[in-house]
Amino acid sequence: MTTLNSKKSGSVYPGWLFFFRVNIAGFALLHFLAIQPDFADLYSYKGYIYPDIMDTTTDNVSPTLVSMQAFLHHLHLPIAYDTLLLCCRLAYPLALLLLMAGLFTRISAMVALFFQLLLIKSIHLYEYGIDGYTTFALFYCCIFPVGRVYSLDNRRRKRYQLPDHRPYLFLLQVHMGIAYFFSGFDKVIGVTWRNGEALWKALHSHNYYSLLNLDMLANTPFFVVSGWATIVLEMGYGLFMNMRATRMYWLCGIIALHVFIAFFMGLFFFSALLIILNLSAFYTPYVRLAEVRKPLVVGG
């Protein structure tokens, strides 16, 4: 049994697990709170689409509130739909708060993942990219040892033990590299990202929000250069993010890309989550955070 410190674990530090857990749970909580003014319109029978009608277009595999109610009725638990909805509305943020605090961490992460999937699949017609990223981030909170660093669970334990965290970091880095590569590959095989048309359309779509009007750049190479810059950043992600000499430059470029998406396309939550994932995978593991009060131990 060996003490885990900076000398024996190389230049990769376990503080990224704490950063990942707190920020993913905090992000999911803020995202959930943001839809509360429209919650009834999305989920209730007084909303835009009746839940049972919405349920007819699901894959019949993913659980939904309607199917969950039917399952409970099958178990002779005749719970009303509104009561079930209220339980989910309270249980999900509670699980996220427990996950942030690192209390019953793995169980809290699994409960949060279950309710996130249940709520999202119940309104799947409104689902978009950020929901999938939130799902896999919460799934990683279930399988990563995120409760072993700066958590209330550690205070309840007599010994502070941490498995080798580097394979989990490698999995996250590979996932991010594959996601960005194929995002860039999808752009380069079409002409619209190479000639700037896709970016122009995105910035002028009726449902996008932009802080500034970029029409003044219409007769400049801005849209073509930006399109190619996006392609290069995404397709080169896996290579240059894993090279020490270029990592920080590529990370700054990726963060700048998502800041642009946030402020010129209005996708604030999407950009925030991607920035969190990038910092978790390629910044915080290489930054030494304050030492944990007691030694972290490998094995056991």
Side-chain angles (χ1 to χ4, degrees):
M1 214 179 282
T2 57
T3 302
L4 181 64
N5 54 39
S6 60
K7 294 181 180 178
K8 294 184 179 180
S9 64
S11 58
V12 180
Y13 305 106
W16 72 272
L17 291 167
F18 168 73
F19 180 89
F20 184 80
R21 185 190 83 233
V22 171
N23 282 280
I24 292 301
F27 168 84
L29 180 60
L30 288 175
H31 190 215
F32 182 68
L33 293 176
I35 68 169
Q36 293 310 298
D38 303 307
F39 192 86
D41 291 331
L42 293 172
Y43 288 98
S44 76
Y45 277 93
K46 298 179 181 178
Y48 302 124
I49 304 176
Y50 280 12
D52 53 354
I53 295 177
M54 178 88 73
D55 214 52
T56 61
T57 60
T58 63
D59 53 19
N60 296 319
V61 175
S62 303
T64 65
L65 288 165
V66 172
S67 65
M68 179 62 68
Q69 184 189 22
F71 176 74
L72 292 174
H73 282 192
H74 181 72
L75 297 178
H76 305 290
L77 297 172
I79 184 172
Y81 179 84
D82 288 341
T83 303
L84 177 61
L85 184 59
L86 178 61
C87 291
C88 296
R89 194 174 185 178
L90 296 175
Y92 181 47
L94 177 59
L96 292 173
L97 287 172
L98 292 175
L99 179 58
M100 287 180 66
L103 183 60
F104 310 113
T105 309
R106 198 174 300 276
I107 296 175
S108 299
M110 293 172 66
V111 171
L113 175 61
F114 171 77
F115 281 110
Q116 192 263 347
L117 280 171
L118 182 66
L119 290 168
I120 287 303
K121 294 305 178 180
S122 297
I123 56 168
H124 65 97
L125 294 180
Y126 304 112
E127 185 179 2
Y128 77 111
I130 188 176
D131 301 310
Y133 276 101
T134 303
T135 298
F136 93 69
L138 288 174
F139 172 73
Y140 282 158
C141 285
C142 295
I143 65 173
F144 290 1
V146 295
R148 300 298 184 93
V149 182
Y150 294 111
S151 68
L152 292 180
D153 282 341
N154 265 359
R155 291 186 174 275
R156 298 187 301 111
R157 297 189 182 102
K158 293 181 179 180
R159 293 188 305 168
Y160 286 65
Q161 296 180 339
L162 177 70
D164 187 1
H165 59 97
R166 286 167 292 184
Y168 302 102
L169 176 62
F170 177 74
L171 175 59
L172 178 61
Q173 291 176 337
V174 169
H175 191 150
M176 297 296 291
I178 292 173
Y180 274 105
F181 174 81
F182 282 102
S183 176
F185 183 74
D186 183 61
K187 292 177 175 65
V188 77
I189 60 177
V191 68
T192 56
W193 273 96
R194 289 185 276 119
N195 64 15
E197 181 183 350
L199 184 58
W200 173 268
K201 287 182 176 179
L203 294 177
H204 289 80
S205 179
H206 71 279
N207 59 339
Y208 281 115
Y209 165 84
S210 179
L211 287 179
L212 297 173
N213 190 326
L214 299 180
D215 288 355
M216 66 186 77
L217 302 174
N219 296 319
T220 71
F222 173 79
F223 292 97
V224 175
V225 171
S226 297
W228 275 104
T230 302
I231 292 170
V232 172
L233 276 171
E234 293 184 341
M235 294 194 69
Y237 185 98
L239 174 63
F240 293 105
M241 286 289 255
N242 286 287
M243 295 173 59
R244 183 178 300 180
T246 57
R247 180 181 299 132
M248 290 307 299
Y249 297 106
W250 225 257
L251 180 61
C252 289
I254 289 291
I255 291 176
L257 170 64
H258 289 299
V259 169
F260 180 91
I261 291 172
F263 287 100
F264 290 94
M265 297 174 67
L267 300 177
F268 299 105
F269 281 107
F270 175 82
S271 298
L273 180 56
L274 266 296
I275 290 173
I276 289 171
L277 290 172
N278 275 284
L279 293 176
S280 297
F282 289 103
Y283 181 71
T284 52
Y286 308 103
V287 175
R288 189 182 187 121
L289 303 179
E291 291 287 353
V292 182
R293 291 176 122 186
K294 293 185 179 181
L296 298 172
V297 180
V298 177

